[in-house]
Amino acid sequence: MLKKGQEITTTIQSLAYGGQGVARVDDFVVFVRDALPGQKINALVTKKRSSYAEAKITEVIEQSPWAITPLCGHFYDCGGCRFQNLDYQQQLNSKSQQVKDLLERIGGLQHFEFYPTLPSADIYYYRNKMEFSFARKRWLTEADMKSGPIEVSDNPVFLGLHARGFFDKVVDIRECHLIPPPAIEILSSIRKIAESSALPVYSTFDHQGFWRFVIIRSCVFTPDLMVNVITSEFREEIAEKLKHELISAFPQITSLFNGITKSKSSVAFCEEEHLLSGNTTISERIGDFRFEISPNSFFQTNSRQVRQLYDHVVKLAEFDGDETVYDLYCGAGTIAIYISRLVRQVVGFEAVASAIRNANDNCHLNGIENCAFVLADLKDMLTNLNQVIETFPKPQIIILDPPRGGMHPKTVKAVLTLRPEKIIHVSCNPSTLARELAEFCAGGYVLKSVQPVDMFPHTAHVETVALLLRSD
């Protein structure tokens, strides 16, 4: 029987959803941090539960046959990537296996067509948005600790991505291979401006300080580039310095903002937006359609791969041009607009007012007249279902794209009450997807196919598209 503190020797068999290695010791499951499939390791058991244990590697005896050298020098410290040291095809294989296992184990689902994970066209520099955090504490690498005494500043300013497993320490990054290269040069300039300002970095411990976040959005299909430096208050002299130094050094910036947040949370979001230079929005394309993106707008992070995702939705729907489609959790209307020319009408439902405004603006921008967007709390949809049906025709197809936490049970019931011919479920969380697909199957639907899509190479995240058909 395994015990906490015990040393074990084992081989990693696979990767669990979330990224931990999976091993078995005397038929007992052990999850191992930072492990790769195929590694033979010595590990220390750090936690023991009735059905599993957790361990950390103390020695790699034999390296994985799929191990590769990571491109980024920050890889082993930074939380931005998880699997840059794992061959990309093996990443795809692992994601396929994770999704299939969760659907079978959690949902009890069987007898459906399962397709291998669709690879991303780009596996580096694919993100159109990155959020960076200021911090007073820098993550010390192994090399830092071996180099001797660490110099401590009276006003420490560090800017980068969070260290793995730490919300209060950042890796003070000098390179990143997830977002196009100009971002790191811009980040370096902002760091220098913050250092020279003598204003302190905000801390979530005492909720004091000025410098908070930097958000960089770099479009793929247009030349637009947005930079939003988020601080705790607006200071005219800082705003002028940001404008002068950043626009002089980086004339390719088309939108420069100083966002303000009073929130105590660690979410990179601003309640006020001060436009320092350029346009109030940037523009990105998905296929033939253009979308305006404001500082707080949600937009799919992988511009190239989102088209592949939406094209698969279109393929599954097999539109004949006469359908009414309900798009639940429609956000800024990207799916609704993408399919609008293929159907009679799309009705989008969304709980965030700003997203509804963005959706209507994007329809106007693209000359789309057959989309309607409804501001609604989707968990109350069942209560107001008669009103919805009186206003809009009943749908032949419903497209679902819920947040990571999944659908409210009442929303699932509302969809079952509407009884569309097809349900196309897009999910960023295969665990919640498994539960929801099981509920739909219990409610009179048959799961026909499942297609994972890799939107985020080198991470543990995977998008999944599932097709359900009404059984009668």
Side-chain angles (χ1 to χ4, degrees), residues 128-134 159 179 183 186-187 190 212-218 225-230 253 255-257 259 267-270 282 293-297:
N128 58 38
K129 177 187 176 186
M130 289 286 283
E131 299 174 357
F132 303 96
S133 299
F134 283 98
L159 177 59
I179 193 166
I186 293 168
L187 205 68
I190 295 171
R212 300 209 58 180
F213 309 101
V214 175
I215 301 175
I216 298 178
R217 293 180 182 260
S218 180
L225 175 63
M226 177 184 286
V227 177
N228 186 8
V229 182
I230 300 179
I253 295 175
S255 298
L256 176 62
F257 283 90
V267 178
F269 187 89
C270 54
I282 55 175
I293 304 168
S294 58
N296 285 329
S297 293

Side-chain angles (χ1 to χ4, degrees), residues 133-327:
S133 299
F134 283 98
R136 297 177 189 174
K137 294 181 179 180
R138 174 171 67 95
W139 178 256
L140 297 178
T141 66
E142 190 174 329
D144 287 332
M145 290 184 282
K146 288 179 179 178
S147 64
I150 305 297
E151 185 178 337
V152 179
S153 169
D154 292 334
N155 184 34
V157 176
F158 304 112
L159 177 59
L161 298 171
H162 288 281
R164 292 189 187 186
F166 290 84
F167 73 92
D168 62 327
K169 294 181 182 179
V170 305
V171 177
D172 199 40
I173 65 170
R174 309 294 162 150
E175 61 176 307
C176 180
H177 301 278
L178 297 183
I179 193 166
I184 298 305
E185 298 173 28
I186 293 168
L187 205 68
S188 179
S189 291
I190 295 171
R191 184 187 291 111
K192 290 175 183 175
I193 293 170
E195 288 170 344
S196 66
S197 72
L199 293 170
V201 166
Y202 185 89
S203 170
T204 53
F205 287 103
D206 60 17
H207 300 293
Q208 301 294 315
F210 179 77
W211 300 98
R212 300 209 58 180
F213 309 101
V214 175
I215 301 175
I216 298 178
R217 293 180 182 260
S218 180
C219 294
V220 174
F221 296 107
T222 74
D224 288 357
L225 175 63
M226 177 184 286
V227 177
N228 186 8
V229 182
I230 300 179
T231 57
S232 61
E233 60 179 311
F234 183 75
R235 292 193 175 218
E236 188 72 39
E237 71 279 10
I238 296 296
E240 284 299 318
K241 190 173 181 65
L242 287 168
K243 176 181 177 180
H244 173 72
E245 296 199 13
L246 293 179
I247 298 302
S248 296
F250 307 100
Q252 67 266 47
I253 295 175
T254 55
S255 298
L256 176 62
F257 283 90
N258 180 188
I260 309 299
T261 181
K262 302 291 185 184
S263 172
K264 293 181 178 180
S265 75
S266 297
V267 178
F269 187 89
C270 54
E271 296 96 40
E272 295 177 29
E273 300 166 3
H274 295 267
L275 179 65
L276 306 186
S277 178
N279 305 315
T280 56
T281 62
I282 55 175
S283 177
E284 181 62 300
R285 303 193 73 88
I286 303 177
D288 297 331
F289 301 99
R290 189 157 64 95
F291 296 90
E292 296 292 316
I293 304 168
S294 58
N296 285 329
S297 293
F298 172 78
F299 192 80
Q300 286 283 0
T301 311
N302 189 332
S303 294
R304 293 189 192 279
Q305 191 70 342
V306 69
R307 183 170 185 180
Q308 191 167 203
L309 176 73
Y310 290 179
D311 281 345
H312 191 70
V313 170
V314 170
K315 178 183 175 181
L316 294 179
E318 297 180 314
F319 298 121
D320 62 20
D322 199 39
E323 297 95 347
T324 294
V325 180
Y326 283 8
D327 179 11

Side-chain angles (χ1 to χ4, degrees), residues 347-383:
V347 185
F349 297 84
E350 172 60 51
V352 180
S354 59
I356 292 289
R357 290 193 295 271
N358 289 336
N360 284 313
D361 290 345
N362 285 324
C363 275
H364 179 73
L365 183 69
N366 290 281
I368 302 300
E369 297 181 348
N370 66 335
C371 290
F373 297 100
V374 179
L375 181 64
D377 188 336
L378 288 170
K379 70 177 172 57
D380 298 327
M381 191 177 179
L382 192 63
T383 308

